[in-house]
Structure formats: C-alpha cells, structure tokens
Amino acid sequence: ETAKPASPAAPRFDRAEARRLNNLASSLAAAGNRSQAEQVFRQAIAADPTYAAPHYNLATFLRKEGRFDEADAEFWRAVDTGIADPEMTIVRSALDYRERGQTQRAAQMFSEGLKRFPRSVPLLLNAGVFFGEQGQLKLARDLLTKAVELAPDNPKAHRNLAVALEALGDTAGALKHLEMVLQLDPGDQAAQAELSRLRRSPGVQ
C-alpha cells in the first residue's frame, strides 16, 4: 500500500511574538529610530501576518514618511485582517490625508471604504461632507441621502444633507431636512437659526 503524501503543515503564526515586536517597533518609531522601526514592524508582520495591529502601525508610519502607496497597501491589509472599528479607522485615515493636503488620497480612501462598507453611516456622513467641501455636490447629496435613509433618526445626517441641498439650489429640500433636525433635536439653536434664514429666502412659500 502506497503511503499517502503528507498534508502541508499549516503555517504557524506566533501572535505573542508579533505583539511584542509591534510594541517594540512602536517604541522605536516614537524615539525617532525610523529605519529600525520599519524593520521591526515588518518582523512583527512576518511573525503573524493575520495580526492587524502591525499592518496598521506600519501604514501610519509610512504615511508620515510620505510613502503613500506603501502606506495604503498596508492600511487595507490592516482592514482585511480585522482592525478594530474599521469604518471609523477609514474615516480618520481619510481625514488625515485631507489635513496633509492630499485630497485625492482622501477621496480614494473614502471611495474604497464605501466599496467595502457601503451601508456604513459614519463613512457616508464623513464622505458626504468631504466631497461637498471639494465641490462635488451631487455626489455629496447622494451619499448623505443614503445616510439619512439608513439612519433617519440621526440629526447630523439631516443637517449635512440640508447643507448639500441648499448648495444645489434645492431650498425646499433643505428646509424639510432642517425641520427634521429640529424634530429630532428641538434644542438645536444653530438649526433653528438656519431654518429661519432659509424661510426668509426669496421664493420660499
């Protein structure tokens, strides 16, 4: 009887070692030892490629170094391997790019995030505001409309949609959503002021 070929051994990941190396790399990065920090982050990933933390920390490190393509590749590996609170992590990373003046990178991060989490209200809200700031008002309206559909009791979603609708010339739509803000949060004085201003607009019945 011929012996069956041995099954390939499952890869052996060492989470404890990966965690230790990740912590060491973070300390090295904080101390300004950049080349060694990067090397140790990569050792942490090699010890356990399924551990999200070193992917994310290496991504953050590479972004600070201006190595954006490499940073984004590691960032999405962190998301794929299970980073905590991925939707808000994507939002924070996109807004970090915006703060750095990398608006195209920010747009790409929001767009990729929405492909992965198309029903994420935090992503829809923040992406809607971002694209509105960039002058992409119809895209902003569409994203914020979806946020309102998914979270009809979220006053921030209605408020942001009202801003986008007014910018597009839809005063009636903006009024409707500001009224919803005040139904949900009657003490919102800023929304009340906006509503009063819009009601005085020419052509408003």
Side-chain angles (χ1 to χ4, degrees):
E1 186 178 336
T2 56
K4 292 181 180 177
S7 300
R12 296 183 61 186
F13 300 144
D14 189 339
R15 178 61 58 92
E17 177 66 359
R19 190 174 284 117
R20 184 188 73 81
L21 289 166
N22 178 60
N23 291 339
L24 173 59
S26 297
S27 298
L28 290 165
N33 193 337
R34 298 198 303 274
S35 60
Q36 194 175 358
E38 180 179 351
Q39 184 180 356
V40 178
F41 276 131
R42 294 191 186 281
Q43 289 171 359
I45 290 166
D48 186 353
T50 68
Y51 181 33
H55 290 292
Y56 177 75
N57 290 334
L58 179 57
T60 302
F61 172 86
L62 291 168
R63 195 182 303 144
K64 289 177 181 173
E65 297 282 296
R67 294 159 61 185
F68 298 137
D69 286 341
E70 295 171 83
D72 289 351
E74 287 299 332
F75 178 83
W76 293 116
R77 287 186 193 109
V79 172
D80 291 340
T81 49
I83 194 79
D85 197 2
E87 296 160 36
M88 280 308 299
T89 302
I90 293 165
V91 168
R92 285 191 293 269
S93 296
L95 296 180
D96 181 47
Y97 270 134
R98 186 191 67 181
E99 292 301 310
R100 294 171 187 275
Q102 296 285 333
T103 53
Q104 188 59 40
R105 291 270 175 190
Q108 289 169 353
M109 185 149 285
F110 274 128
S111 297
E112 180 64 26
L114 286 165
K115 284 182 192 171
R116 293 168 187 245
F117 302 100
R119 295 176 62 81
S120 166
V121 172
L123 266 171
L124 288 163
L125 276 175
N126 283 279
V129 171
F130 169 80
F131 285 112
E133 289 171 348
Q134 301 304 308
Q136 297 186 53
L137 295 172
K138 289 182 180 177
L139 175 56
R141 177 198 60 199
D142 293 347
L143 293 170
L144 293 165
T145 297
K146 189 170 181 182
V148 164
E149 289 168 357
L150 290 167
D153 295 335
N154 186 326
K156 188 180 291 185
H158 288 282
R159 174 195 287 283
N160 291 337
L161 179 54
V163 171
L165 291 170
E166 185 188 0
L168 284 164
D170 183 357
T171 305
L175 280 168
K176 181 182 83 168
H177 287 283
L178 281 171
E179 287 165 356
M180 278 302 305
V181 173
L182 289 166
Q183 281 186 37
L184 294 164
D185 183 7
D188 188 331
Q189 295 181 346
Q192 183 63 65
E194 281 296 293
L195 193 59
S196 298
R197 179 184 63 79
L198 275 184
R199 283 174 174 160
R200 294 193 300 270
S201 299
V204 173
Q205 298 299 314

